[in-house]
Amino acid sequence: MGKINTKNTTDGMFMAMVKAAMTGSELRVKPTDDEWTQLFRMSKKHAVVGLLWSVVCKHKMPMTLAVQWASEAEQIRGLNGLMNDEAARLTEAFRNWGIKTVILKGQANARLYNDPLVRQPGDIDIWVEGGKERVMKLLIEMGFTQPQDLKGRNGKNLVNYHHVHLPKNDRGVDVEVHFRPSSGNHNPLTNKCLQRWLETEVKHIEETEDGFSVPLLKFALVMQLAHIQHHFLNSGVGLRQICDYYLLLKHSTADDRQEVKGLLNQFGLRRIGGALMWVLAEVFGLDNALMLCKPDKYRGKWLLRFIMAEGNFGYYAQHVKVKSDVAYFLKKEYRRLKLLPFAPSEMVWLELMHWKDLFGLLPERIRRGRLSLRNIQR
């Protein structure tokens, strides 16, 4: 994978736009009509359409593109309102059953932006107290799902290691109900320490004016760093998650950062932490005083190259584009092997789990008639 050249016309202007939107710095760009089209495509690729509209709306671009960009940005604003309403509704529904909940990531992060409605939302992640069995039973009792769906029947597979993925509700919103706070690490030794800390800290919450609870920032710094590592090593991570993390650091206290810094090695997050600090310094000019650890230029360049090439959650990665299941499997396997030097322990455990799932879930996949190599993990 080639080096990302931020001095080149479109890459350089795109990075300048992201930085201006996140830091309030002045945006001095004069794209051509063709370059504006490329920049809009890049904003879609990295799920930052609404964020960038807040700065590019003041610049001259082709009228048809301006209308499209403004329209999509306005849709994002409306969707954020819907997601906040749904987060509050879910919180109230569980509260009526005497159950504590916390909204994780997306809508919790959106509150940190200067304009909370510009962040492009995905689904709602809600942690529900009680553990896996209790939460699954509760979802059935509350009418959110059916027993056969949780057992993988009817062609559905709603349950994985840390959450139940509910079908879209009647308002078109995806909800992931977490019985564990995080997908965590692949290395079981560091993951045990990480999950134990997260299970304790997720109970310390802050109430919002939007009607739902969010975790404290030190929890978010750890949980979302693990989330970035998990997705980066598995399939890909985008600029939206990097923007979120920049704001977590900007809003955190020195005590928050000092505590998290002392946990990085224990939780297996030192390598991704160093890489991310370098990216945040490179893209946003993050001050050294806000960093969790020393920037790792070697791994940081890797992280930034993959982010720019693969887009939001790796949806633009090479293995996603191929039609053949075998080619998909081989390209994804090659991607994993390339990342082995980035995080050796994590990648070794990821491979072991991958092959265990490939063969261990084979009887179930045969029974359900789903032999595709594109979805072989729990």
Side-chain angles (χ1 to χ4, degrees), residues 312-332:
N312 189 45
F313 284 133
Y315 293 151
Y316 294 79
Q318 290 184 354
H319 62 270
V320 175
K321 301 175 184 178
V322 298
K323 295 182 178 179
S324 164
D325 282 358
V326 174
Y328 172 90
F329 177 83
L330 292 175
K331 283 182 177 292
K332 191 166 185 179

Side-chain angles (χ1 to χ4, degrees), residues 15 36 45 52 117 165 187 202 225 260 303 315 325 328:
M15 287 300 198
W36 272 118
K45 176 179 178 179
L52 294 195
L117 300 181
H165 191 162
N187 183 329
V202 74
L225 185 58
V260 172
L303 179 58
Y315 293 151
D325 282 358
Y328 172 90

Side-chain angles (χ1 to χ4, degrees), residues 107-361:
Q107 296 315 111
N109 290 337
R111 298 169 54 254
L112 304 178
Y113 286 74
N114 288 333
D115 182 345
L117 300 181
V118 300
R119 183 189 183 275
Q120 188 162 323
D123 52 25
I124 291 177
D125 293 272
I126 182 170
W127 174 82
V128 178
E129 69 174 344
K132 181 178 180 179
E133 297 305 319
R134 176 66 183 116
V135 168
M136 290 172 62
K137 182 180 179 182
L138 187 65
L139 291 176
I140 295 170
E141 292 174 350
M142 294 178 69
F144 284 114
T145 188
Q146 300 298 317
Q148 59 268 28
D149 296 336
L150 296 181
K151 294 178 181 178
R153 299 172 186 170
N154 296 338
K156 298 178 181 179
N157 187 19
L158 303 181
V159 186
N160 67 12
Y161 170 76
H162 65 297
H163 70 238
V164 178
H165 191 162
L166 301 181
K168 284 184 185 294
N169 63 22
D170 56 3
R171 300 184 74 183
V173 176
D174 278 311
V175 178
E176 292 183 354
V177 179
H178 289 239
F179 44 81
R180 288 189 178 94
S182 170
S183 54
N185 297 338
H186 300 102
N187 183 329
L189 300 178
T190 59
N191 188 51
K192 183 177 181 179
C193 297
L194 171 66
Q195 296 288 4
R196 186 166 53 229
W197 187 88
L198 291 175
E199 287 283 359
T200 299
E201 294 297 327
V202 74
K203 298 171 185 176
H204 303 308
I205 62 175
E206 175 186 347
E207 299 291 342
T208 73
E209 295 179 355
D210 295 307
F212 53 83
S213 304
V214 297
L216 301 184
L217 283 174
K218 68 176 180 179
F219 170 92
L221 285 169
V222 173
M223 183 268 190
Q224 291 184 47
L225 185 58
H227 180 255
I228 288 171
Q229 173 169 266
H230 184 90
H231 278 284
F232 173 57
L233 298 181
N234 272 282
S235 54
V237 70
L239 272 178
R240 181 176 57 169
Q241 286 69 43
I242 307 305
C243 291
D244 286 348
Y245 210 85
Y246 172 78
L247 290 177
L248 290 176
L249 288 170
K250 291 284 286 185
H251 285 82
S252 66
T253 67
D255 287 343
D256 290 335
R257 297 189 296 274
Q258 189 62 33
E259 182 173 349
V260 172
K261 179 179 180 180
L263 297 170
L264 293 180
N265 285 331
Q266 180 183 355
F267 294 165
L269 300 175
R270 174 69 63 175
R271 289 184 174 89
I272 189 66
L276 184 55
M277 295 306 106
W278 184 87
V279 170
L280 292 174
E282 182 77 4
V283 177
F284 302 125
L286 182 69
D287 190 280
N288 285 337
L290 297 178
M291 292 188 179
L292 298 178
C293 58
K294 181 180 178 180
D296 185 338
K297 183 177 180 180
Y298 170 70
R299 288 181 174 83
K301 285 185 173 181
W302 278 40
L303 179 58
L304 185 56
R305 285 200 303 269
F306 275 80
I307 287 171
M308 295 302 294
E310 296 179 341
N312 189 45
F313 284 133
Y315 293 151
Y316 294 79
Q318 290 184 354
H319 62 270
V320 175
K321 301 175 184 178
V322 298
K323 295 182 178 179
S324 164
D325 282 358
V326 174
Y328 172 90
F329 177 83
L330 292 175
K331 283 182 177 292
K332 191 166 185 179
E333 188 65 22
Y334 177 60
R335 181 188 185 277
R336 289 195 184 100
L337 292 174
K338 285 195 297 184
L339 285 172
L340 184 61
F342 185 95
S345 175
E346 277 294 295
M347 293 310 298
V348 167
W349 281 105
L350 173 58
E351 277 296 284
L352 290 173
M353 293 178 182
H354 170 72
W355 288 99
K356 178 177 180 290
D357 283 344
L358 175 62
F359 293 107
L361 297 178

